[in-house]
Amino acid sequence: MGYDKDKRQIPNSLQKFTKELPGRFAAGEFDDERSDRVVRELEGFDKAFKKQWTFWKKAGVTTAAIAASFMLFVGSGFVSPTMAKMVSKIPPLSSIFNSPEQDLSERLTQTLKKEGYPVKQVNEFVGGKDEGIIITLDASEKQYQEMQHDVLKIGHDMVKSKEFKGTRIEDYFVKVRPHREPSEEWKQEQAEIERETDEVFQIVQDALKPFDYQNSVGYMKDEVELEIPSIEKQEKVDQIKKAVEDALTANDKDDVKVTIRKFDVVKREQYALWSDAVGGIGHEFKTYKKYKVSGVGYKSKDGLMTIFITMKMKSTDKEAAEHATDLYTMAEEFIKSDEIWPKVKQDPYRIVVRTKDKKEFNIEEKQFK
């Protein structure tokens, strides 16, 4: 019996790299040849996991952040004069996401296909200095040259449309590229990587069965990462590691290193409890440009959850203090809403609004420090 591919996990080092990659890619750090390779690999990944992704979308995963942020408007206890002032002339999220399960890439893909264009893939790049979409056409060089201008116009018209007015989407770049079929050498390389990965995961899974291992397993070239609670006895940790190492060696994989990453169970559970709150606040504040927010994050330390809201304004800006007060109040009222408060009311927390020049706003004194 094979291992469950749906349970593949990615090591932290690879997570960090892939998280930064879209921004670097969108910012033009890579030449055309490397960019084309990235697009090809994204196409391959999307194709391989399309069925699973469709299933999870139907299960409501893609609507979670939207639903959470939508509660900023309709959640009980979150209607206030401050909010009314902040969202004036901003359309409600329901008017932007008429079909919550359909993201921008899917909408643009359907629009282009309806017009008869041979769309291979539409990728959305977010989180970097520049955000936008890249449209890949499955066409010859001649066809691509003939279609490029019209396809670009359709893409620009969509991101500049009325429904996205006032959001960061209207500032998206739009690029069009021709699809380039990967070489046989590249295909063979990818097939070998997948074969090796499948083999290693099967070996590791079999070795972990006696331990009733329920945590993540990560693998990248020559390294397996096991995730273990920090409260686990070291004796058992050593036994688990040795069992996996012995299994790899027995299968001629002794060049694969086994590493242990310990995690705090209580802290992880706390992050899970706060994910809807922070996800909703972050999605709302970063969707609309009027909020002038560059980032929203959270950190747990000694049982205290801190929510960070970073403004694009400097502390010396004339309206910075008033704007920080508005952001703080909106976030606080959202946390206290009927949808969020029951999940987090047992946890001590604080909201920190900070500026571009790294000054923190003191809500009691109404000034930056």
Side-chain angles (χ1 to χ4, degrees):
M1 182 174 66
Y3 72 94
D4 187 352
K5 291 185 179 181
D6 291 343
K7 293 183 179 179
R8 285 186 183 179
Q9 300 293 327
I10 303 173
N12 282 349
S13 56
L14 186 56
Q15 284 182 332
K16 183 176 185 296
F17 172 76
T18 53
K19 183 178 180 180
E20 295 173 348
L21 184 59
R24 295 175 61 197
F25 182 51
E29 289 189 25
F30 305 123
D31 56 32
D32 287 342
E33 182 178 350
R34 294 180 68 192
S35 296
D36 289 336
R37 182 183 176 99
V38 171
V39 172
R40 287 201 304 270
E41 296 196 11
L42 283 169
E43 291 173 2
F45 178 86
D46 181 76
K47 182 178 180 181
F49 289 93
K50 194 172 186 62
K51 291 183 179 179
Q52 294 95 320
W53 181 236
T54 300
F55 170 79
W56 287 115
K57 283 178 64 180
K58 289 180 179 178
V61 172
T62 58
T63 65
I66 295 172
S69 59
F70 185 59
M71 286 190 291
L72 282 168
F73 290 93
V74 301
S76 174
F78 199 72
V79 178
S80 68
T82 299
M83 175 186 163
K85 178 176 64 175
M86 288 292 290
V87 303
S88 61
K89 298 183 181 180
I90 296 180
L93 288 183
S94 57
S95 68
I96 290 183
F97 299 99
N98 291 318
S99 178
E101 293 189 11
Q102 185 183 54
D103 62 21
L104 178 62
S105 298
E106 291 175 328
R107 293 182 59 188
L108 184 53
T109 298
Q110 292 181 13
T111 298
L112 289 168
K113 285 186 175 181
K114 188 176 180 179
E115 294 293 326
Y117 293 104
V119 181
K120 180 71 175 179
Q121 189 83 12
V122 176
N123 296 112
E124 185 174 357
F125 295 87
V126 299
K129 181 179 179 181
D130 296 311
E131 299 181 322
I133 51 178
I134 293 181
I135 304 165
T136 305
L137 299 177
D138 192 5
S140 66
E141 184 63 30
K142 181 180 178 181
Q143 291 173 320
Y144 163 71
Q145 294 296 338
E146 293 172 348
M147 299 175 179
Q148 182 184 19
H149 176 76
D150 291 338
V151 172
L152 270 174
K153 184 178 185 304
I154 292 174
H156 280 297
D157 286 347
M158 180 169 287
V159 300
K160 298 290 186 183
S161 62
K162 183 179 179 180
E163 60 185 322
F164 294 122
K165 185 175 178 59
T167 74
R168 73 180 197 279
I169 293 175
E170 67 177 353
D171 296 328
Y172 272 11
F173 68 77
V174 179
K175 296 181 181 179
V176 181
R177 297 177 182 273
H179 170 67
R180 292 186 176 91
E181 188 67 23
S183 66
E184 288 302 317
E185 180 182 359
W186 184 87
K187 290 180 181 179
Q188 291 175 7
E189 178 184 318
Q190 298 307 303
E192 176 60 26
I193 291 174
E194 183 172 357
R195 184 197 64 76
E196 174 72 12
T197 301
D198 290 350
E199 189 174 335
V200 169
F201 265 91
Q202 184 64 67
I203 294 169
V204 173
Q205 179 173 284
D206 290 344
L208 291 173
K209 283 180 180 178
F211 300 97
D212 190 29
Y213 186 88
Q214 301 294 325
N215 302 307
S216 300
V217 176
Y219 174 70
M220 59 189 302
K221 186 174 176 59
D222 298 334
E223 182 176 352
V224 168
E225 182 182 83
L226 303 177
E227 192 178 61
I228 296 180
S230 56
I231 58 175
E232 188 65 79
K233 292 182 179 179
Q234 188 59 44
E235 181 181 1
K236 185 175 180 180
V237 175
D238 294 339
Q239 291 174 351
I240 292 173
K241 183 178 180 182
K242 186 176 186 304
V244 174
E245 289 175 336
D246 289 347
L248 289 167
T249 299
N251 286 274
D252 297 324
K253 303 288 184 186
D254 49 338
D255 58 328
V256 178
K257 180 182 178 182
V258 179
T259 59
I260 302 295
R261 184 172 70 84
K262 295 187 177 183
F263 67 92
D264 187 316
V265 177
V266 175
K267 187 175 291 188
R268 174 169 291 188
E269 291 175 349
Q270 187 181 30
Y271 278 121
L273 287 175
W274 281 90
S275 62
D276 284 347
V278 178
I281 293 169
H283 183 80
E284 172 65 19
F285 284 170
K286 292 189 69 179
T287 292
Y288 293 103
K289 294 188 291 183
K290 187 172 183 177
Y291 293 126
K292 300 176 184 177
V293 169
S294 61
V296 174
Y298 59 151
K299 182 177 181 180
S300 172
K301 184 176 181 181
D302 298 328
L304 175 67
M305 179 60 72
T306 302
I307 300 170
F308 296 98
I309 301 170
T310 305
M311 301 194 304
K312 294 180 179 179
M313 306 171 72
K314 292 184 178 181
S315 59
T316 53
D317 291 347
K318 184 178 179 181
E319 299 177 354
E322 181 181 3
H323 194 72
T325 301
D326 289 341
L327 293 175
Y328 182 97
T329 303
M330 290 185 69
E332 176 70 21
E333 292 183 352
F334 178 51
I335 291 170
K336 293 291 179 63
S337 67
D338 291 345
E339 291 80 5
I340 299 299
W341 188 238
K343 302 177 184 179
V344 301
K345 63 182 180 181
Q346 302 299 328
D347 276 0
Y349 72 93
R350 68 184 183 120
I351 300 170
V352 174
V353 180
R354 52 191 181 186
T355 58
K356 187 177 181 180
D357 52 346
K358 300 180 180 180
K359 299 291 185 180
E360 292 189 2
F361 184 67
N362 186 303
I363 189 64
E364 286 80 18
E365 299 178 12
K366 297 291 189 296
Q367 63 180 10
F368 294 99
K369 293 185 176 181

